[in-house]
């Protein structure tokens, strides 16, 4: 277990992941990930920074979204998470951690690749939480392909709809519920700046998410709503072994960044807490990189 608070060398704060060979169907499960990822279950300490907030996190069942859900709950927020039908086991685990923090957990099974489902997600989150003031657009899919010629119409459509269309749909549906002081946080990626040749469709959506964030931020600050993004580097989550990377690349996952290791979901949560909380009142339209030193310019 890592300690997130004592001063130490960040290079060795978490072990080198060195994953063995593994493949999961899409979407992957945290329950099947080897080695298991660290979402801050045993380490994250809240200090009331989100007391009374009502947050929706898409894809909060696993990976980065799960770490954010745990941190938000321990900071005092009630939390709704979305998950896909195959992810019920992961979603239940995170819901019970939210409840153990003394907060309300709302779980919404939904595929967000249609506007009707995005409308329903917002409706159920607002009903379950009794309002909404933090929206974390985190769900995403990443399927590697060797060449543009291998990207089928279906894959292109599904990646675009899940990763970027859904952000338009969810924000549009959420807006009537968001009071001044609300915060929207979008998960982009280092792929927006350094696209891997094998992740062409995915990286394109991540570039779009950055631009969407900057434009939307200017629009919504006129309502007192702040919009920002977080750009993770290589993070050990079920996205990677479920066709997110070629199998042979998995063994050295994350070694290419200056930190020399993959990040853990737990290392992302504080960035989202900062952007959700009132402490970041003057931060608008920003992308906060959490990349282990990978350059985002
Ligand atoms: P993850 O697999 O744990 O989370 C992704 C979640 O997206 C899944 O749990 C799933 O519930 C959801 N999702 C996928 N398709 C969906 C659909 N059609 N409808 C509804 N939900 C859907 O992996 P993660 O790495 O934690 O991913 C979270 C975010 O972080 C994604 O946006 C991803 O692009 C981004 N990201 C990840 C990395 C990384 O290295 N892991 C790096 C940069 C950015
Ligand atoms: Mg998942």
């Amino acid at each position: 277990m890592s300690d997130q608070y004592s001063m130490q060398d960040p290079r060795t704060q978490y072990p080198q992941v060195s994953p063995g060979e593994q493949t999961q169907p899409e979407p992957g499960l945290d329950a099947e990930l080897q080695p298991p990822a660290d979402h801050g279950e045993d380490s994250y300490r809240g200090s009331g920074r989100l007391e009374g907030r009502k947050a929706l996190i898409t894809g909060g069942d696993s990976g980065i979204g799960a770490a954010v859900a745990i941190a938000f709950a321990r900071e005092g927020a009630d939390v709704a998470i979305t998950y896909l039908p195959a992810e019920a086991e992961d979603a239940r685990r995170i819901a019970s951690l939210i409840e153990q923090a003394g907060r309300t957990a709302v779980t919404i099974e939904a595929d967000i690749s249609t506007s009707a489902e995005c409308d329903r997600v917002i409706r159920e989150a607002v009903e379950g939480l009794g309002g909404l003031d933090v929206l974390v657009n985190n769900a995403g899919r990443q399927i590697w392909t060797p060449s543009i010629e291998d990207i089928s119409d279906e894959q292109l459509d599904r990646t675009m709809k899940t990763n970027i269309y859904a952000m338009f749909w969810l924000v549009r549906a959420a807006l009537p519920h968001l009071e001044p002081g609300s915060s929207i946080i979008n998960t982009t990626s280092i792929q927006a700046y350094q696209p891997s040749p094998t992740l062409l469709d995915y990286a394109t959506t991540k570039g779009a998410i950055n631009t969407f964030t900057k434009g939307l931020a200017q629009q919504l600050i006129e309502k007192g709503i702040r919009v920002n993004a977080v750009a993770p580097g290589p993070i050990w989550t079920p996205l990677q072994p479920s066709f997110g990377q070629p199998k042979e690349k998995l063994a050295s996952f994350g070694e290419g960044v200056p930190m020399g290791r993959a990040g853990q979901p737990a290392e992302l949560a504080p960035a989202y807490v900062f952007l959700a909380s009132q402490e970041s009142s003057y931060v608008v339209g920003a992308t906060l990189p959490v990349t282990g030193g990978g350059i985002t310019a």
Side-chain angles (χ1 to χ4, degrees), residues 26-28 30 58-65 82-84 87 110-113 137-142 158 162-163 187-190 202 206 231-240 253 272:
E26 183 208 3
D30 257 330
T58 61
D61 56 289
S62 60
I64 295 165
T82 73
Y83 64 99
L84 288 165
E87 299 174 312
D111 180 333
I112 61 169
S113 62
N137 285 312
N138 167 75
R141 74 190 294 267
Q142 171 186 322
R158 202 160 162 69
T162 305
N163 293 13
T187 303
T188 176
S189 171
I190 192 167
Y202 173 84
K206 294 298 174 180
I235 311 303
W236 183 233
T237 73
L239 194 78
Q240 303 301 344
F253 180 66
Y272 290 80

Side-chain angles (χ1 to χ4, degrees), residues 44 46 133 156 176 223 226 234 260 267 278 281 297:
Y44 192 89
D133 36 50
L156 182 61
K223 296 179 189 294
R226 293 180 304 105
E267 298 182 278
Q278 206 60 38
S281 52

